């Protein structure tokens, strides 16, 4: 049984249909890439899963249980964490304070357990350890992305929804972020990844889906998609002769 099963959802922004019958699945332990141009419906798909938007029709199931229409808080408690595009950390809070906010939906973890979990995040993201008591507005884009990822993982999710984690980052930092995504999967967290950098996304993903104007137009093994002429032409910078 898929960990996440999206079945023919139609989601609207006001009167505009952003998703037109999107179906996709994510198996336990996978990294699945969701590709497409700006406005294709990638972020809307993640927001539909995390409860920030409610599909008008269709169904979303997590671990076999329907979650369509549930509140974001209820969906987080079930084991789904959403790291949105643009980091969206609280600039007036410290790194540690932002990370701890990720555990707000957990059932009152002890102070000792919280400290252990924060230390675990600094083990996964050693670059931000020296800034633990620094206000986040002082951090670089790459450091902020690591804080956002750590905050998302503090919810101890089974499924992590990642929206454009490489956006606005330098190439070396992008490689580092994608190595961290692979490490997250090794730790047992399944990942649904929205990413404009199709080459990097497909290089670490097991499978992928391509959206165009709110519809899935291609799907399959990540390496096959990486060698698909249409995907190459649209997202990877060239078509095979």
């Amino acid at each position: 049984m898929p960990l996440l099963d999206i079945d023919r959802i139609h989601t609207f922004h006001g009167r505009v249909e952003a998703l037109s019958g999107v179906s996709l699945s994510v198996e336990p332990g996978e990294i699945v890439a969701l590709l497409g141009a700006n406005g294709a419906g990638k972020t809307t798909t993640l927001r539909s899963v995390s409860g920030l938007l409610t599909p008008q029709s269709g169904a979303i199931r997590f671990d076999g249980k329907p979650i369509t229409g549930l509140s974001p808080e209820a969906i987080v408690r079930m084991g789904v964490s959403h790291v949105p595009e643009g980091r969206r950390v609280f600039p007036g809070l410290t790194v540690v304070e932002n990370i701890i906010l990720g555990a707000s939906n957990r059932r009152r973890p002890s102070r000792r357990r919280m400290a252990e979990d924060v230390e675990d995040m600094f083990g996964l993201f050693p670059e931000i350890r020296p800034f633990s008591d620094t206000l986040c507005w002082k951090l670089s884009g790459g450091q902020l992305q690591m804080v956002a990822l750590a905050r998302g993982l503090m919810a101890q999710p089974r499924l992590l929804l990642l929206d454009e984690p490489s956006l606005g980052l330098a190439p070396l930092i992008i490689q580092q972020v994608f190595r961290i995504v692979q490490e997250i999967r090794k730790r047992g967290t399944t990942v649904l990844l929205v990413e404009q950098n199709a080459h990097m996304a497909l290089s670490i993903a097991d499978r992928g889906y391509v959206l165009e104007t709110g519809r899935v137009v291609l799907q399959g093994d990540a390496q096959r998609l990486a060698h698909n002429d249409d995907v190459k032409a649209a997202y990877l910078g060239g078509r095979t002769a």
Side-chain angles (χ1 to χ4, degrees):
M1 177 171 48
L3 183 62
L4 176 68
D5 182 25
I6 300 176
D7 184 16
R8 294 172 292 180
I9 61 171
H10 294 255
T11 301
F12 287 74
H13 291 298
R15 296 183 178 181
V16 177
E17 187 175 38
L19 299 180
S20 305
V22 166
S23 296
L24 62 85
S25 65
V26 183
E27 300 292 332
E30 281 192 312
I31 296 176
V32 172
L34 188 56
L35 310 177
N38 288 334
K42 307 183 302 297
T43 293
T44 300
T45 300
L46 295 194
R47 289 170 64 87
S48 297
V49 174
S50 65
L52 295 172
L53 292 171
T54 300
Q56 185 167 310
S57 62
I60 303 174
R61 289 176 287 272
F62 177 70
D63 199 19
K65 302 177 181 66
I67 62 172
T68 316
L70 294 183
S71 70
E73 294 78 14
I75 292 171
V76 169
R77 285 194 295 270
M78 292 179 72
V80 179
S81 187
H82 186 179
V83 179
E85 177 184 347
R87 276 73 85 173
R88 298 188 190 177
V89 302
F90 292 92
L93 298 181
T94 67
V95 167
V96 165
E97 289 168 339
N98 268 282
I99 291 173
I100 288 174
L101 281 175
S104 59
N105 279 295
R106 286 164 53 182
R107 295 184 182 276
R108 294 190 178 183
S110 68
R111 185 174 297 179
R112 177 179 176 180
R113 179 60 185 273
M114 186 71 73
E116 290 173 349
D117 290 346
V118 170
E119 179 61 27
D120 186 44
M121 290 301 100
F122 284 137
L124 185 58
F125 304 96
E127 294 82 358
I128 59 175
R129 184 192 293 274
F131 304 97
S132 60
D133 296 321
T134 302
L135 295 177
C136 278
W137 66 266
K138 298 181 179 181
L139 271 57
S140 69
Q143 291 164 342
L144 289 173
Q145 184 63 70
M146 292 177 194
V147 173
L149 285 167
R151 184 181 61 188
L153 291 172
M154 279 293 284
Q156 298 182 333
R158 296 174 62 195
L159 174 66
L160 188 65
L161 308 174
L162 282 181
D163 195 353
E164 302 285 5
S166 76
L167 186 68
L169 301 183
L172 286 177
I173 303 299
I174 291 174
Q175 292 179 15
Q176 190 174 5
V177 167
F178 276 88
R179 284 196 298 269
I180 291 169
V181 174
Q182 290 176 293
E183 179 61 28
I184 289 169
R185 189 255 288 274
K186 289 179 183 176
R187 288 173 167 229
T189 301
T190 303
V191 179
L192 178 57
L193 170 66
V194 162
E195 181 53 60
Q196 285 281 358
N197 190 330
H199 176 76
M200 288 294 293
L202 293 173
S203 73
I204 67 168
D206 300 290
R207 295 186 300 112
Y209 293 83
V210 178
L211 287 181
E212 287 183 6
T213 59
R215 294 177 173 83
V216 174
V217 294
L218 285 171
Q219 61 179 292
D221 175 82
Q223 292 309 305
R224 288 186 179 180
L225 286 178
H227 291 91
N228 178 286
D229 281 350
D230 292 330
V231 174
K232 280 186 173 184
Y235 307 111
L236 301 177
R239 182 183 292 273
T240 301

